[in-house]
Amino acid sequence: DSGVTQTPKHLITATGQRVTLRCSPRSGDLSVYWYQQSLDQGLQFLIQYYNGEERAKGNILERFSAQQFPDLHSELNLSSLELGDSALYFCASSVEPTLHTDTQYFGPGTRLTVL
Amino acid sequence: GQQVMQIPQYQHVQEGEDFTTYCNSSTTLSNIQWYKQRPGGHPVFLIQLVKSGEVKKQKRLTFQFGEAKKNSSLHITATQTTDVGTYFCAGWGIQGAQKLVFGQGTRLTINP
């Protein structure tokens, strides 16, 4: 158990719908990262937040958005869903992302299926 | 574009054979980290290499960081079925950026 929690574990929805994925980082971690992993694919970095502020953006679609709240939990919002958005979405957290020795701790992921 | 290249993308071995995956960056890295993702699981941090030429061992796993700090390798001796999974390297400090960049991973399958 990494200490990072993600809800829900599974989500099945239809095309065109909107969903919200939630992540709670490890206690004490200030940074949250979101990754997308499609079937048999690598980890595609979406976005990073640090202490409530957006820190870095990866290949995140305009239909997707995220935020980190004062209690440091984060939500990833996916809208106008398409079949191709079906994937595993991982959240990871770390203590201090500016330290080169910083490591990331991943949550169990949310499996999104768009029908 | 992809800044950390990992090869091979897939590797299938017989149980007991050795396995190696390689990670390459076009620029010098501050450090390299390795993660393992078991089938159906999430990536888990294995180890971090910081010094040029550093070699670290974890039981049957040997991790190396190149002298120029641009490449790394993970070698598994005498694979076991518990080694199945995808191994990711992640480089810190590519092109001076203060962030971790993951490679695409090497998926290891083992024939028992």
Side-chain angles (χ1 to χ4, degrees):
Chain A
D1 183 9
S2 66
V4 179
T5 59
Q6 287 187 249
T7 55
K9 286 188 178 180
H10 302 276
L11 198 49
I12 301 175
T13 188
T15 54
Q17 295 298 305
R18 182 179 189 276
V19 296
T20 298
L21 312 184
R22 183 188 169 100
C23 168
S24 292
R26 290 190 321 158
S27 176
D29 284 0
L30 299 178
S31 197
V32 168
Y33 309 77
W34 285 99
Y35 294 88
Q36 180 192 56
Q37 186 176 47
S38 301
L39 191 63
D40 286 345
Q41 296 297 309
L43 296 165
Q44 299 298 317
F45 170 66
L46 296 178
I47 199 163
Q48 177 200 358
Y49 281 83
Y50 176 68
N51 208 16
E53 300 289 327
E54 182 182 303
R55 171 66 74 89
K57 252 185 178 179
N59 299 324
I60 189 167
L61 299 172
E62 286 191 12
R63 300 184 286 108
F64 296 1
S65 64
Q67 59 184 126
Q68 187 179 27
F69 295 86
D71 68 351
L72 300 177
H73 91 271
S74 178
E75 292 181 357
L76 178 67
N77 300 297
L78 315 176
S79 61
S80 302
L81 285 168
E82 301 174 359
L83 296 178
D85 297 327
S86 295
L88 256 177
Y89 290 84
F90 286 110
C91 167
S93 73
S94 71
V95 175
E96 176 45 73
T98 60
L99 288 177
H100 72 280
T101 52
D102 194 51
T103 57
Q104 296 184 16
Y105 295 86
F106 284 77
T110 293
R111 182 171 294 280
L112 173 66
T113 303
V114 182
L115 301 176
Chain B
Q2 186 64 43
Q3 296 169 309
V4 176
M5 300 302 297
Q6 202 172 340
I7 55 170
Q9 189 175 358
Y10 301 97
Q11 183 77 59
H12 180 78
V13 301
Q14 289 289 127
E15 187 175 14
E17 290 182 341
D18 292 356
F19 159 76
T20 304
T21 174
Y22 301 90
C23 186
N24 296 289
S25 169
S26 57
T27 61
T28 302
L29 301 169
S30 296
N31 71 41
I32 195 99
Q33 300 179 14
W34 286 92
Y35 292 74
K36 177 184 178 181
Q37 182 180 19
R38 293 180 186 273
H42 58 276
V44 174
F45 172 75
L46 292 177
I47 208 161
Q48 178 172 237
L49 304 170
V50 180
K51 299 176 184 176
S52 169
E54 189 169 14
V55 178
K56 286 188 176 180
K57 292 190 176 185
Q58 287 181 349
K59 298 182 181 178
R60 294 176 295 101
L61 277 61
T62 302
F63 303 84
Q64 288 189 303
F65 201 9
E67 293 290 340
K69 300 184 74 173
K70 290 184 176 182
N71 55 70
S72 180
S73 64
L74 158 59
H75 179 81
I76 302 178
T77 303
T79 55
Q80 299 176 359
T81 54
T82 53
D83 297 324
V84 165
T86 301
Y87 294 85
F88 293 97
C89 65
W92 176 274
I94 291 178
Q95 295 178 339
Q98 290 185 323
K99 62 178 183 179
L100 202 60
V101 176
F102 281 83
Q104 284 300 100
T106 295
R107 184 180 176 190
L108 173 64
T109 54
I110 298 175
N111 208 21

